[in-house]
Amino acid sequence: MDITQLGDRILSGDRRALARAITLVESRRADHRAEATVLLDRLARSERQALRIGLSGTPGVGKSTFIESFGMMLVGQGLRVAVLAVDPSSARSGGSILGDKTRMERLSREPNAFIRPSPSQSHLGGVARRTREAVSLCEAAGFDVVLIETVGVGQSETVVAELSDLFLLLLAPAGGDELQGVKRGIMEMADLILVNKADGELKSTATRTCADYAGALRLLRKRVQDPPGFPKALTVSAVEEAGLDSAWAEMRALSDWRRENGHWTANRAEQARYWFGQEVRHALLARLETPRARAEMDRLSTAAAQGQLTPASAAEQMLGFLNEE
């Protein structure tokens, strides 16, 4: 498809065109990458912005159930919602199930909702290699809220904070002791901690867990981008759809405060700086994948394995080879 025509269809809110564009930006083919860059540059001129909400949590905490209930609530308020779900890829086969669209059966039928599952492949940090660009495409398509669901791997899953305006951490009742609440890493990145499954027999347990984490959050160092009282811990029930409106009110209050105090724009500028550095690093690593570079890598690694060169010396020679190309 012509890139100009594809861009026009995305700007008009065409979901099928949006899906094709995400497939294009996820492709590793050199010609597709060139077309994707042209498309993204063109759409960036629209300057449309959505509220980007990153969501992380351990497997089984109910991320997909929460997103469907939360997304249905937002759609009911007249908002357009996009969901970018990242599924783990098999270390053996490289495949992914991509079952989030099946889980979110109600939301997937909504005309004002868009759900796109993507494989994480070998990318670390809980998101896919091109999730950031997929977010930009959803913004250009006119979505009001973009929900980014991570793989769900644990405390080191913080890259999603580099492409979202708000970062939600979903926890299960009695998911760990109080010490988990003061550990660094993902806890320091969270803007809101939501203790899910606060219903039935787990309701009282969820309330205690929420109180534990609320106390732990007060021990963390104050961040300049937070108004008084944030970050917060709240209880929600995705199944009973309880507490979702309160959580949404807190999200809007936080995003409004950051906009009014200049943190929104500054945060997005820093994110652009971060992703520029990532693109340069990936481009440099790609230089190792050329046939000549692979052959030289094989030769030098064999020399290092046989003791003819030290690993450091072999690495120096490889860098010299790359500089000569």
Side-chain angles (χ1 to χ4, degrees), residues 245-319:
D245 51 350
S246 299
W248 176 232
E250 297 290 358
M251 293 179 215
R252 284 184 298 171
L254 180 56
S255 63
D256 289 346
W257 186 88
R258 287 179 174 172
R259 285 180 186 271
E260 294 167 1
N261 290 273
H263 296 295
W264 177 286
T265 304
N267 181 52
R268 290 212 169 185
E270 283 303 310
Q271 289 177 350
R273 187 188 302 272
Y274 170 86
W275 288 108
F276 161 72
Q278 291 297 107
E279 287 295 330
V280 172
R281 290 181 179 87
H282 282 289
L284 290 174
L285 288 173
R287 294 177 61 188
L288 295 174
E289 298 302 318
T290 63
R292 289 188 68 239
R294 283 184 177 180
E296 186 67 6
M297 280 283 287
D298 290 341
R299 185 184 72 80
L300 290 171
S301 63
T302 300
Q306 294 175 351
Q308 299 170 2
L309 291 172
T310 64
S313 178
E316 285 291 332
Q317 290 190 33
M318 187 64 208
L319 292 174

Side-chain angles (χ1 to χ4, degrees), residues 41 46 83 96 98 113 151-152 163 175 239 248 263 284 299 315 323:
D41 286 345
S46 69
V83 178
S96 294
L98 303 180
V151 169
L163 47 81
V239 173
W248 176 232
H263 296 295
L284 290 174
R299 185 184 72 80
N323 287 333

Side-chain angles (χ1 to χ4, degrees), residues 57-71:
T58 55
V61 76
K63 295 191 297 296
S64 297
T65 306
F66 171 82
I67 288 176
E68 179 170 52
S69 297
F70 186 60

Side-chain angles (χ1 to χ4, degrees), residues 31-44:
D31 57 334
H32 288 174
R33 288 304 310 149
E35 291 177 346
T37 300
V38 172
L39 176 64
L40 290 165
D41 286 345
R42 183 175 184 276
L43 294 177

